Amino acid sequence: MQGKLKDKVALITGATSGMGKAIAETFAREGARCIVSGRDLKRGEQLANELSELSPTLFFQADVSKAEENKQLIKKAAQAFGRLDILSLNAGVLGLGTVSGTSVETWQHTIETNLNSIFYLCKYGLPELQKTGRGVVLINASIAAFKSFPQHAAYCASKAGAVALMKQMALDYGPEIRVNAICPGPVNTPLLHDSAQAFENPESIIAATEAKTLLKRLGEPEDVARLALFLASDEASWITGSAITIDGGILNSG
Ligand SMILES: NC(=O)c1ccc[n+]([C@@H]2O[C@H](COP(=O)([O-])OP(=O)(O)OC[C@H]3O[C@@H](n4cnc5c(N)ncnc54)[C@H](O)[C@@H]3O)[C@@H](O)[C@H]2O)c1
C-alpha cells in the first residue's frame, strides 16, 4: 500500500458523519490503517466495510463524552494494529444558547463532548503515540475558538478550551508528538444545518453565511480532509502548536 500515510495507524472520532467521515476516507485512501469511531453501530460498521476496500479499517463504538469509554477506545485502538500514530478528534456537538439560556445539562454535555473528550483521549492516547517515537494529534476545533456567535456560549467556550489544550500538549509532548488544531468556518455538514435551526429562517441564515465568506461558498468536508491529511503527514513535519483556520475567509470578512 502506497500513500502519504503508508504504515500509519489512525484513530478517527466522529467518523460516521461530516468532516470525520471525509478525513477517515482520505486517510484510508492514503494508506493509513484506520480505526473509525462513533456511536452508531450500523453506520460505523458500514463505513468500516467501505473503507476496508482502500485500507484495513475497524469500527469501535464509543461515546466520547464518557471518560471510561475513551479509555477503552484507546486501549482497543492501540491493540488493533499493534500501534497508534495519529489521533484525529472530530466528535462534537453544538449546545446552543446564551449563558442564561443554556441549561446546566447542555453546558455539561457540550463541554464533556467537545473538550473533556480531548483530555480523555489524549490522556490515554499520548502514551501510545509516544511508543512509536513520533505521533500526531489533530483536534477539530472551530473559528468559534476565536470569535463569538449568537447563542453559542458553551460551544465557543469548549472550542477555545480545545485550542488552549492543543497548545499545552504541543509544548509538553514535543519533539516526538506534533499537536495542531484545525479551525473550520462554516462547513456543509449536519452540524452546520442544525446550528441554523436556532434562527427563525434557517435557510436564509445558511445563504447569508455563504455570502459572508470571501470565497462565496460553504466549505465541504473534503476541503477540511485535505488539510487534515497535510497536517497528519510528514509534509507538515515543522508544524506544531498551531490553530489553523480553514474558513473561506469568513474571519476576515469584516
Ligand atoms: N460544520 C461546521 O460548520 C463546523 C465548523 C467548525 C467546527 N466544526 C467541528 O467539526 C467537528 C465535526 O463536526 P461536523 O461539522 O462534521 O458535524 P457532524 O454532525 O457531521 O459530525 C459530528 C460527529 O460527532 C459525533 N458525536 C457527537 N457526540 C458524540 C459523542 N458523545 N460520542 C461520539 N461521537 C459523537 C456525531 O454523531 C457526528 O458523527 C465537530 O467537532 C464540530 O464542532 C464544525
Side-chain angles (χ1 to χ4, degrees):
M1 169 70 74
Q2 293 303 308
K4 288 181 179 158
L5 301 180
K6 178 181 172 293
D7 299 331
K8 304 288 186 196
V9 175
L11 168 65
I12 300 122
T13 71
T16 60
S17 172
M19 286 181 255
K21 188 173 183 192
I23 290 170
E25 284 166 356
T26 302
F27 283 11
R29 198 170 303 116
E30 291 294 334
R33 285 163 288 167
C34 294
I35 295 109
V36 291
S37 183
R39 289 169 301 178
D40 189 319
L41 184 65
K42 203 168 155 210
R43 281 200 297 178
E45 288 185 337
Q46 191 182 335
L47 177 68
N49 282 339
E50 285 166 20
L51 297 192
S52 292
E53 293 186 10
L54 301 169
S55 185
T57 302
L58 294 167
F59 171 74
F60 292 140
Q61 194 176 27
D63 178 339
V64 300
S65 69
K66 310 267 189 319
E68 185 57 28
E69 292 197 26
N70 289 295
K71 188 177 178 182
Q72 293 308 321
L73 175 61
I74 291 289
K75 195 173 165 195
K76 286 193 289 179
Q79 284 169 354
F81 297 112
R83 59 185 290 139
L84 204 48
D85 302 279
I86 300 164
L87 300 181
S88 168
L89 309 183
N90 305 286
V93 289
L94 268 171
L96 290 173
T98 59
V99 165
S100 52
T102 298
S103 68
V104 170
E105 291 73 23
T106 296
W107 174 268
Q108 287 173 340
H109 182 64
T110 308
I111 300 295
E112 279 288 348
T113 307
N114 295 3
L115 178 58
N116 293 3
S117 67
I118 298 170
F119 166 71
Y120 302 137
L121 288 162
C122 291
K123 173 178 168 54
Y124 301 114
L126 285 163
E128 296 298 335
L129 265 52
Q130 281 176 315
K131 289 180 191 165
T132 70
R134 272 171 111 183
V136 174
V137 178
L138 275 184
I139 294 167
N140 200 335
S142 170
I143 56 169
F146 313 117
K147 184 184 182 322
S148 47
F149 292 91
Q151 303 208 43
H152 280 61
Y155 189 75
C156 289
S158 70
K159 295 299 186 179
V163 167
L165 186 55
M166 173 279 290
K167 289 184 182 178
Q168 184 63 42
M169 293 191 290
L171 179 78
D172 288 335
Y173 289 87
E176 290 88 4
I177 299 174
R178 294 188 298 107
V179 188
N180 292 294
I182 294 173
C183 296
V187 180
N188 189 15
T189 70
L191 186 134
L192 179 76
H193 293 280
D194 287 351
S195 78
Q197 299 303 320
F199 302 91
E200 229 165 71
N201 189 341
E203 272 168 32
S204 71
I205 285 292
I206 297 282
T209 304
E210 206 164 7
K212 213 174 171 208
T213 67
L214 302 184
L215 300 178
K216 303 300 170 206
R217 70 170 177 90
L218 299 178
E220 292 300 327
E222 293 71 24
D223 290 314
V224 176
R226 284 191 291 275
L227 176 60
L229 171 63
F230 169 69
L231 290 172
S233 77
D234 290 343
E235 288 180 4
S237 63
W238 208 50
I239 302 178
T240 196
S242 288
I244 297 171
T245 55
I246 173 166
D247 68 344
I250 202 166
L251 266 190
N252 192 35
S253 66

